[in-house]
Amino acid sequence: MKTKIKLFRTTILIIALVFPLAWLYLHAELGTSRKTHEIDLLLLEVIQVETQLTEHILKSRSQLSLHYDDIAHSQQHLFLLMRKLHALLAENINISSLELKSVEQQSQSLQLVVERFKTAKAQISQLQRYLKLLAENVRLLIEDDPHHIINQVDLIIIESFSAYVFGDTPTDNKLINKIKKLEKHASLHQKNTQLLINNLVINFTKLISLKQQENTILNKVFKHEMRQKIQYIRQRIIDNQYQMVSHGNMTLRYLIIYASCLVMLILFFIFNRRHIQKKVSIHKERSERDHLTQLYNRRFFLWQLEESINSSTGALLFIDLDGFKEINDQLGHHIGDETLKSVANKLNSLAKSINPSFFSAQAYRLGGDEFVILIDDMDEHDALNSLEKFAANVVSTCCFYLDKPFQQYNLSVSVGVALFPEQGTNVASVLNCADKAMYHSKHNGRNCYTFYSEL
Amino acid sequence: MIKARLLIQTIYISILFLCSTTALAVQGIDGKTHIESQNVETTSIQRYRGFFTPISPVNNLTTEQLKRIALGQTLFEDVNLSHNNKMSCATCHITAKGYADGKSFSQENKGVNKEYNTPSIQYSIYNQYLTWLGAFSTLQEHLDFLITNSTLMNRDWDDLTNQLKTNREYKHLFEQAGYKRISRLSISNAIIAYEASLAIPSRFDFFLLGDVTQLTSQEIKGLDVFITSGCISCHQGTNLGGNLRQKFGVMKDYFPNKISKNRDLGYFNITKNIDDMHLFRVPSLRNVTKTGPYFHDASAKTLEKAIEIMFSYQLGIKASQEDILSIKSFLESLEPVQ
C-alpha cells in the first residue's frame, strides 16, 4: 500500500515538473510564429495604406480633391509603418529580412514618386491658371479678329484642361498643326499680341510635357512593385507556416510532448481509481465482518434480517454458548477467542453445507458468545422438518470438548428458533421471540433447541 | 437600332458635358466669381473648403493635458536644457515673432549664423514634413535632431534625462502631467503636446467653418486673387502649404546669376538627385505676417516683397500693387485669434 502511495506522489511530482517545462518550450516556439504574424499584419496594413494612397492620388489627378492633405496623411502613415517594420526587423526574425528590406526601399521609392507627383501636379494646375490668364489678356488685346485667333486660343485652353465636351481628343499631329496655324495668324498682328501668343504656346507645350511626365509618374505609382512584393512575402510566410505544420519535426515534437503528458495523466487517473476502489471494498468488508471470527457482524445481520422479513419466509436460530464464561475466565481470553473461532467455523460450515434446494442459511455473530443463523427462502413443504433436523444438527455439532490440554472443559449451545412471518413482521419482535425460545432451552437444561411456536 | 444608338450617344454626351462643366466650375475657369461684400453665400464657402481644411477650436482639454502642455512650455523655455545653458527652444522660436526669430538666419549656440532662415513652428503639427528641405517627417525626429545637434542644444538624451531627474521641480511637474518617469519619450511627448497646442484657429478658419462675417470684403478679394492667380496650386490644405515640395523658380530661374550656394540647391542636398534641384518644402502661410524675413535665404525682407517675388517667379505674372495689398490683407486674416 505504501509503495503505491509513493508511486502516486512521484507521478504528481513528475507532472508538476514536466508541464511547466513543456509550456515554456512551446511558448518560446510560439513566440517566433507570433512575431511573423505581427509582420504579416503590418504588411497587410502597408498594402491598405498603399491602396489609400493610390486612391488619393487618383482623386487629386481627376481634380476631385483639390489639396494634398490626404496624400500627405497616407504618406506619413506609410512612413510610420515602415518605421515599425524596421524596428521589428531589428529583432531578428527567421523570414528573410533581405526581402523586407527591399520592401522598405521600395516604399521609399514610392514616397519619392508621390513627391514628384505632387510637385508636377501643382505645376500643372498653376500652368492651367496661367494659360487661362494669358487667354484673357489675348482677348483684351485683339479688337478685330479675322483669323478667329480667339477661337483657336480657346481650343488650346480646352485642351490644357483636357475638358472635351464631345470626347474628341486631338492627336499630337493635329495639335502641332493647330499651334503652327495659331503662330502664323499671330504673326499678322501687333508685336504685343505676338509675344503674348508665343508665351501662350511655349507654356502650353510646357504643360503638355508636364502632363506626359505626370502620366509616367502615375504609371510608376500603379505599376509599383511594392504591393506584389508584399503579397509575395505574405504568401511565403503562409507557406512557411504550412510547411512547418505539415512537414516539420516541430509538430511531431509537440504531439509527442502532448501525448506523453496526456498518457501520464490518464495512467494517473486509472491507478488512482483502482486504488480508491480497493480501499473502499476493504473498508466495506471491515464494516460488515466481525474481526475475530470473520463472520458477518450484528449491523450487517440486522440489515439482512429486515430484508428477509420483508421479502420472504424464513427462520431465525438464536445460538448462545453454554459454559463459555468459565472457559474465558479460567483459561484466558486467547483460549476463549480460539473457542469462539472454532464455533464460528463450525456454524459457518454447517450453514454452507445445507442443500440450497431446501433453504439457504447464513451465520452471524451478534457479539460476545451469541451467534445467529438466518434461514431464507424456506420451502412450505417439509420445511419445518428439515429445520428441526438442522437445529438438532447445530446442537450436536457444537457440543464438544476442548482440545488436548483442556479436555475437561466442554462446550455446548442453547438454540431458540423463531419463524417469520409467523412470529412477527419486524426485526425486534422476531429477535425477541428467538431470544425467548433460546432462554427456554437454557432453562430446559441447555444443549437443546426450542421452537418459539411450541412454547 | 439607329435610334437606340442615338439615344446612347446623347446620354453619353450629356454626361460628359455635365462632368466637364462641373470640373470647370470647381476650377473657377468661368472667371466670374461675383462675391457681394459681407454677403458670401455658403456655396462659395463650400468652394473654398475644397482647397482649405479649417482648424477647429479645441475647448475641452482635460487637466492632465493642460498640465502636459504647461510642462512642455516650461521645457520649451528652459535654457538649462542646452549644453551651454544659454539656449532654449524659445531662443529661436519667439512667441512675438510667430514662433520664428525675426532674424535672417538662425544662430548657432556660439552666435554664428546657420544656413537657413528659422521657420515658424506654430502650426508645425499640421505639416507633413519639417525644415526647409522637409528632412524630417515627424516632430519627434526633428526634436531628436535639435537636442543632439552639436551646433544647437548639444545634449545627449541620457545626460538630459539624468539632469531632469535630479531636479525636484521637474520631478513634480512630470508626476502631475501623468508621466510615470522622465525619459526621452515623456520629454518629447510634453514638448510636442505644447507645440500642438500652439495651432489655434484664425479668423479664416472661423470663416471656413461658416461665420461669413469674419472676413472683410478686401480679404475675400485677396482670397479670390489667391485662388485665381494660382497661389492655391501649392498653398492649399489645412496649413496652406506644408504638404509638398516645389521648385523655387518654376516660371523663371530664381538663382541665375547668384553664386549657387549649397543651401540654394534645396532638396538636392539630401537626395543628390538632379530632379530635386532647387526643390523646397512649400511653407505654411499661417501666421505668415509675423514670421518675416521670408524664404529660406531671407531674400525678401517684407511680406509685399515676398508676394511680388512669388508672383513673378512662381506664377509668371507681374503682380499689380492692388493684388499684392489684397493678398496681404488676406494673409493677415490667417493670424491666430487668441
Side-chain angles (χ1 to χ4, degrees), chain B residues 124-138:
Chain B
S124 55
I125 191 79
Y126 292 110
N127 277 347
Q128 191 204 333
Y129 22 55
L130 307 152
T131 77
W132 278 103
L133 307 184
F136 305 107
S137 286
T138 56

Side-chain angles (χ1 to χ4, degrees), chain A residues 63 66-69 72 75-76 79 115-116 118-119 122-123 125-126 129-130 132-133 161 165 203 206, chain B residues 17 26-29 50 128-129 137 141 227-228 233 236-238 243 245-246 273 276 314-316:
Chain A
Q63 314 260 12
L66 295 168
H67 55 74
Y68 307 122
D69 275 0
Q75 272 182 288
Q76 204 137 26
F79 176 79
E115 286 297 310
R116 293 263 156 76
K118 284 195 291 190
T119 308
Q123 284 182 17
S125 65
Q126 183 257 320
R129 286 195 173 76
Y130 184 59
K132 207 189 81 196
L133 226 91
F161 278 91
V165 178
N203 279 303
K206 209 168 153 187
Chain B
F17 185 74
V26 168
Q27 280 274 313
I29 199 180
Q128 191 204 333
Y129 22 55
S137 286
E141 277 179 64
I227 291 170
T228 47
S233 30
Q236 34 60 46
T238 314
N243 54 12
R245 294 193 185 87
Q246 188 55 278
N273 188 332
D276 295 328
Q314 299 297 96
L315 307 177

Side-chain angles (χ1 to χ4, degrees), chain A residues 20-34 254 258:
Chain A
L21 281 176
W23 185 81
L24 274 177
Y25 178 69
L26 290 177
H27 188 75
E29 289 289 326
L30 285 175
T32 51
S33 70
R34 202 184 301 140
Y254 294 155
Y258 269 127

Side-chain angles (χ1 to χ4, degrees), chain B residues 64-315:
Chain B
E64 192 182 87
Q65 281 170 319
L66 288 173
K67 285 268 162 61
R68 279 186 186 192
I69 290 166
L71 170 63
Q73 185 168 8
T74 332
L75 289 166
F76 194 81
E77 289 163 359
D78 190 351
V79 288
N80 292 322
L81 300 194
S82 65
H83 187 251
N84 58 3
N85 293 349
K86 280 179 189 165
M87 203 177 205
S88 72
C89 308
T91 315
C92 291
H93 300 289
I94 306 160
T95 313
K97 305 277 182 188
Y99 295 92
D101 61 358
K103 294 169 188 159
S104 295
F105 297 102
S106 333
Q107 287 193 322
E108 289 182 5
N109 46 21
K110 284 169 191 159
V112 187
N113 279 354
K114 279 180 80 67
E115 269 194 307
Y116 291 99
N117 175 256
T118 309
S120 162
I121 58 140
Q122 187 163 14
Y123 290 92
S124 55
I125 191 79
Y126 292 110
N127 277 347
Q128 191 204 333
Y129 22 55
L130 307 152
T131 77
W132 278 103
L133 307 184
F136 305 107
S137 286
T138 56
L139 285 168
Q140 174 72 60
E141 277 179 64
H142 190 218
L143 200 60
D144 285 343
F145 171 76
L146 293 178
I147 295 276
T148 53
N149 194 318
S150 60
T151 63
L152 297 166
M153 307 293 273
N154 194 12
R155 288 304 291 267
D156 190 34
W157 272 112
D158 295 335
D159 200 21
L160 184 59
T161 45
N162 286 336
Q163 186 195 323
L164 291 186
K165 273 175 191 168
T166 52
N167 191 324
R168 207 174 275 172
E169 280 175 46
Y170 269 121
K171 229 174 184 180
H172 184 61
L173 282 174
F174 271 92
E175 265 170 31
Q176 274 193 325
Y179 294 114
K180 279 175 187 156
R181 55 185 172 170
I182 300 174
S183 66
R184 184 180 80 101
L185 280 181
S186 57
I187 294 170
S188 34
N189 189 300
I191 293 178
I192 289 169
Y194 172 62
E195 285 176 328
S197 77
L198 296 176
I200 45 179
S202 62
R203 282 192 292 127
F204 180 58
D205 292 307
F206 290 117
F207 171 77
L208 287 182
L209 286 169
D211 185 0
V212 289
T213 57
Q214 290 285 346
L215 296 196
T216 63
S217 56
Q218 170 78 354
E219 282 160 356
I220 290 172
K221 196 185 152 208
L223 173 57
D224 283 321
V225 174
F226 190 83
I227 291 170
T228 47
S229 56
C231 310
I232 194 70
S233 30
C234 291
H235 294 284
Q236 34 60 46
T238 314
N239 238 1
L240 287 86
N243 54 12
L244 77 156
R245 294 193 185 87
Q246 188 55 278
K247 193 180 174 186
F248 197 0
V250 177
M251 303 304 276
K252 265 194 276 177
D253 206 349
Y254 187 67
F255 311 101
N257 300 320
K258 297 171 195 172
I259 304 149
S260 191
K261 284 189 178 167
N262 210 19
R263 63 163 171 250
D264 296 334
L265 300 179
Y267 195 41
F268 175 80
N269 282 328
I270 296 177
T271 58
K272 307 292 175 200
N273 188 332
I274 201 75
D275 292 342
D276 295 328
M277 198 69 101
H278 304 315
L279 240 62
F280 292 91
R281 176 197 67 165
V282 176
S284 161
L285 289 188
R286 284 185 179 275
N287 209 11
V288 74
T289 44
K290 291 180 187 170
T291 60
Y294 301 97
F295 305 142
H296 69 286
D297 53 356
S299 48
K301 300 297 174 208
T302 61
L303 190 54
E304 287 89 342
K305 178 76 178 157
I307 296 169
E308 199 189 322
I309 289 175
M310 276 289 124
F311 261 80
S312 58
Y313 286 93
Q314 299 297 96
L315 307 177

Side-chain angles (χ1 to χ4, degrees), chain A residues 42-262:
Chain A
L42 203 73
L43 290 178
L44 192 69
E45 208 177 341
V46 170
I47 289 184
Q48 229 170 1
V49 171
E50 200 254 6
T51 319
Q52 271 176 17
L53 190 61
T54 321
E55 188 192 323
H56 292 318
I57 285 173
L58 272 180
K59 259 189 184 173
S60 94
R61 199 230 170 179
S62 53
Q63 314 260 12
L64 287 169
S65 151
L66 295 168
H67 55 74
Y68 307 122
D69 275 0
D70 296 334
I71 296 179
H73 284 157
S74 294
Q75 272 182 288
Q76 204 137 26
H77 196 167
L78 188 64
F79 176 79
L80 290 177
L81 283 179
M82 284 301 145
R83 266 295 162 82
K84 252 192 207 170
L85 192 70
H86 195 82
L88 273 177
L89 271 181
E91 288 174 24
N92 196 12
I93 298 151
N94 42 1
I95 319 163
S96 65
S97 50
L98 264 176
E99 289 189 346
L100 286 172
K101 267 178 193 157
S102 81
V103 167
E104 257 184 296
Q105 281 165 7
Q106 276 172 350
S107 102
Q108 276 167 14
S109 83
L110 180 67
Q111 295 268 22
L112 213 77
V113 169
V114 175
E115 286 297 310
R116 293 263 156 76
F117 169 77
K118 284 195 291 190
T119 308
K121 183 69 202 153
Q123 284 182 17
I124 286 171
S125 65
Q126 183 257 320
L127 267 181
Q128 283 171 337
R129 286 195 173 76
Y130 184 59
L131 284 175
K132 207 189 81 196
L133 226 91
L134 287 180
E136 271 167 27
N137 286 349
V138 170
R139 199 166 304 192
L140 285 177
L141 268 177
I142 293 172
E143 283 148 6
D144 56 331
D145 186 14
H147 304 294
H148 308 294
I149 281 184
I150 289 176
N151 211 347
Q152 287 164 22
V153 167
D154 279 352
L155 276 174
I156 279 185
I157 295 295
I158 286 173
E159 166 63 27
S160 75
F161 278 91
S162 310
Y164 312 109
V165 178
F166 298 104
D168 177 28
T169 46
T171 56
D172 286 351
N173 286 338
K174 254 189 185 176
L175 256 178
I176 289 162
N177 283 340
K178 260 184 197 168
I179 290 167
K180 273 182 184 165
K181 213 169 155 188
L182 184 63
E183 274 174 333
K184 204 174 111 190
H185 290 313
S187 61
L188 303 174
H189 281 265
Q190 291 168 352
K191 211 171 185 187
N192 261 352
T193 329
Q194 265 184 48
L195 272 174
L196 211 57
I197 285 179
N198 275 341
N199 199 359
L200 190 107
V201 167
I202 288 167
N203 279 303
F204 180 65
T205 45
K206 209 168 153 187
L207 180 75
I208 296 289
S209 74
L210 264 174
K211 279 197 166 178
Q212 279 163 359
Q213 203 183 319
E214 189 201 14
N215 278 338
T216 54
I217 288 171
L218 275 176
N219 270 336
K220 271 186 197 166
V221 171
F222 296 142
K223 288 176 183 167
H224 208 270
E225 281 178 4
M226 191 171 80
R227 194 184 312 181
Q228 284 157 9
K229 189 92 195 169
I230 285 174
Q231 261 153 5
Y232 170 70
I233 290 175
R234 289 193 65 219
Q235 192 63 44
R236 272 198 47 189
I237 287 174
I238 293 166
D239 282 356
N240 270 353
Q241 274 174 348
Y242 175 73
Q243 290 273 340
M244 229 172 71
V245 169
S246 61
H247 302 302
N249 302 330
M250 288 300 177
T251 337
L252 204 66
R253 232 182 290 165
Y254 294 155
L255 277 178
I256 288 168
I257 288 170
Y258 269 127
S260 52
C261 286
L262 209 66

